[in-house]
Amino acid sequence: MKTEEAIANYEEYLRAERGLSDTTVKDYLDDIDLFLALMRKAELKHGQGRMFLDTYDFQENDITDFAILQGELDRSSATIARRVSSLYNFFKFLSSSSLLSFVVGEVDRPKASKHLPVILTLEEVERLLDAPDVSTPWGARDKAMLETMYATGLRVSELCALKLKDIKFENHLIVIKRGKGGKQRSVPIGDYALEYLKAYIDGARKENKGRDKPFVFLNRLGTPISRIFFYNEVQKYAEQAGIDKKISPHTLRHCFATHLLSNGADLRIVAEMLGHAHLSTTQIYTHLSDRRIRDAYETHFGRK
């Protein structure tokens, strides 16, 4: 059976027989679409021919390979576990309809862990933020992005989608309208970050293609910066700064929250700035803060 037709049948099964909500069905189908996109890209990269246009193109090890690809993209174990589960259920559906060339067995699924995210020291953050060459247009842009992200704790998607009208220079605020749940929140931003943000907007951005577009951060083609591109830029600057920790753009959001709490900020205020719906999500940063205090105590206090 054609894969497209099989997915349509699976969607009908999820809605009619399992009675799942539109949101849940969409999440399942999005995971399948992501699987197909990543696997097709991997096949092309390695000179293979499978395009997964037919369900008999699927192989027994595809679920494991998909999980590995997700790990290489630095996805969390919780995200990988959810996506593997979605794909496993899809394969079970195909198998029960005799649409696969193999029988689906049990799959080792990564368990959602509560591991603490990587946090940079203040000195490491400074080295990372100082890595871009601000004398170049692209370095000025990247410096503004890094400073803005560390100063506000925005999500990567929010940073890439930031529009000029969202920056309230006179009030030292950034207004986010595209956060999770569609809620609006205002996040303060300090003078230091605003200085580099304004320098980029008034300078390099005005010389860039797409300068008449509403988005703040533009690539060479004049379109908004993508998350993948910014991820690669952060990796590049981390290497230049001599940071050997495994970090991503999201690391700056973690650092923003942890450094605020380490310096006495109220948990509820930090949660509001981050756009967290539940305090429990923000509380992981209190563990990080406590750990840093313990480490400092054990390192510097003479009497153990």
Side-chain angles (χ1 to χ4, degrees), residues 100 150 199 241:
L100 294 177
Y150 177 60

Side-chain angles (χ1 to χ4, degrees), residues 173-245:
L173 290 174
I174 288 182
V175 179
I176 302 299
K177 301 185 180 71
R178 293 162 297 278
K180 291 184 177 178
K183 296 180 180 179
Q184 175 176 312
R185 73 183 193 279
S186 295
V187 183
I189 180 170
D191 289 332
Y192 195 77
L194 270 182
E195 178 183 338
Y196 284 102
L197 193 52
K198 191 173 190 307
Y200 160 68
I201 292 172
D202 292 341
R205 191 186 180 282
K206 285 188 175 180
E207 304 300 320
N208 195 29
K209 292 180 180 179
R211 53 187 171 271
D212 295 329
K213 293 184 178 179
F215 298 98
V216 176
F217 299 110
L218 306 173
N219 60 25
R220 294 172 188 264
L221 299 176
T223 57
I225 291 291
S226 71
R227 296 170 63 178
I228 296 298
F229 178 85
F230 188 48
Y231 172 88
N232 291 332
E233 291 296 279
V234 169
Q235 296 292 303
K236 178 183 74 176
Y237 291 127
E239 184 177 353
Q240 290 180 15
I243 297 171
D244 57 5
K245 297 176 181 177

